[in-house]
Amino acid sequence: LSFAHVLLLTSACALLALTNPNWLLLFLGVDMGIFYLYKIMRGDFFYFLNLAGAVRFVMAISERFCVKIMVNFTMLIQLRHPQEMGGLPFLVSILTSVVGSFVSVYAYSTYYNEDVKLEYETLQTVLGSLVAIWFVSAVTLALFIKRGYLHTFYGMDTASTFNRKAFLHLREDQDLEKSELITIHPDVYKAWGDELIKPWTINNWNRWEEEKPAWFTDTWIEGVPN
């Protein structure tokens, strides 16, 4: 699947670059812009790391850009994680490679007028073969993947909703794992902190002061929301 995806997208980029470099820039720019817009509209633009000020903004811009490029040109499936690209944008990126390949073949065959030119039939054969490999691989993955993971390829979880589910999934005695969730940026759990984090800390604070678990440090205490 990754093989077909990468060849489809790189071939599309090569054909667009030959036909008109501005079209390639437009194709990549619109694709990246839609991704940024999706993240902003979902309230998921900033990265989950606990950074502040301009550093946080620069990190968001650069990290989202790098992740999108990596997914486009490697299809690294681990980056579908909600704290990275997210399931739905990951799926859209995969489909974009297929759609873009058809558009690029049409544009090249119609508007590229140099003497040395690939035959339309040859391009159609190569394109058809790659799409067939892509389709068979995608179906095979969908059939054999563990059912519980299938939704991660099209899910719309953000970093906030993902961490809320992770907190709820933990047992009452998993204080260490819960404490690690508070080390991320407060904006990630702002929407559900009063619902879940506040009762958890209030109910267990006296016990933690007596037991002094290793993670119950001054630094961690300072990071606990009021």
Side-chain angles (χ1 to χ4, degrees):
L1 183 58
S2 296
F3 167 81
H5 167 84
V6 171
L7 281 183
L8 282 170
L9 187 56
T10 52
S11 298
C13 290
L15 292 176
L16 287 176
L18 284 172
T19 306
N20 189 330
N22 291 329
W23 292 356
L24 173 60
L25 294 176
L26 179 64
F27 170 67
L28 295 176
V30 169
D31 184 43
M32 184 67 70
I34 291 174
F35 174 60
Y36 275 122
L37 182 61
Y38 173 84
K39 284 292 187 180
I40 292 171
M41 292 181 65
R42 296 279 294 159
D44 199 32
F45 172 70
F46 289 104
Y47 203 47
F48 69 93
L49 295 180
N50 196 357
L51 304 173
V55 175
R56 189 183 183 213
F57 181 77
V58 172
M59 180 63 178
I61 292 286
S62 58
E63 196 279 338
R64 301 306 184 194
F65 178 84
C66 291
V67 164
K68 185 70 169 74
I69 293 296
M70 288 178 67
V71 169
N72 279 359
F73 293 98
T74 69
M75 200 187 142
L76 185 63
I77 62 174
Q78 287 84 351
L79 292 178
R80 74 188 191 281
H81 194 285
Q83 293 185 155
E84 300 295 342
M85 190 170 202
L88 183 61
F90 184 87
L91 178 62
V92 170
S93 289
I94 297 174
L95 296 177
T96 298
S97 69
V98 178
V99 175
S101 62
F102 283 100
V103 173
S104 65
V105 167
Y106 172 79
Y108 176 84
S109 301
T110 305
Y111 299 104
Y112 187 72
N113 298 316
E114 299 297 327
D115 294 335
V116 180
K117 182 177 180 179
L118 295 171
E119 295 292 333
Y120 180 71
E121 291 75 15
T122 301
L123 292 174
Q124 286 290 85
T125 300
V126 174
L127 175 62
S129 300
L130 289 175
V131 171
I133 294 172
W134 181 93
F135 181 77
V136 171
S137 301
V139 171
T140 302
L141 176 65
L143 290 175
F144 288 95
I145 193 174
K146 188 176 180 180
R147 298 295 94 183
Y149 295 133
L150 190 59
H151 75 280
T152 63
F153 286 89
Y154 57 83
M156 295 181 65
D157 269 331
T158 63
S160 179
T161 60
F162 170 80
N163 280 283
R164 181 181 185 277
K165 291 177 181 178
F167 194 96
L168 288 171
H169 183 72
L170 294 171
R171 301 188 309 271
E172 290 187 6
D173 61 340
Q174 291 184 290
D175 288 336
L176 172 60
E177 290 77 6
K178 290 181 179 180
S179 70
E180 292 174 350
L181 291 178
I182 298 183
T183 62
I184 60 180
H185 197 279
D187 282 356
V188 176
Y189 54 79
K190 179 172 61 177
W192 48 272
D194 286 345
E195 173 195 358
L196 299 177
I197 295 178
K198 186 175 181 179
W200 170 65
T201 55
I202 289 176
N203 293 336
N204 293 281
W205 198 270
N206 291 336
R207 177 172 61 84
W208 295 335
E209 288 187 329
E210 292 178 2
E211 297 177 358
K212 301 293 183 182
W215 52 265
F216 193 65
T217 63
D218 292 340
T219 302
W220 185 87
I221 292 173
E222 290 176 1
V224 175
N226 294 328

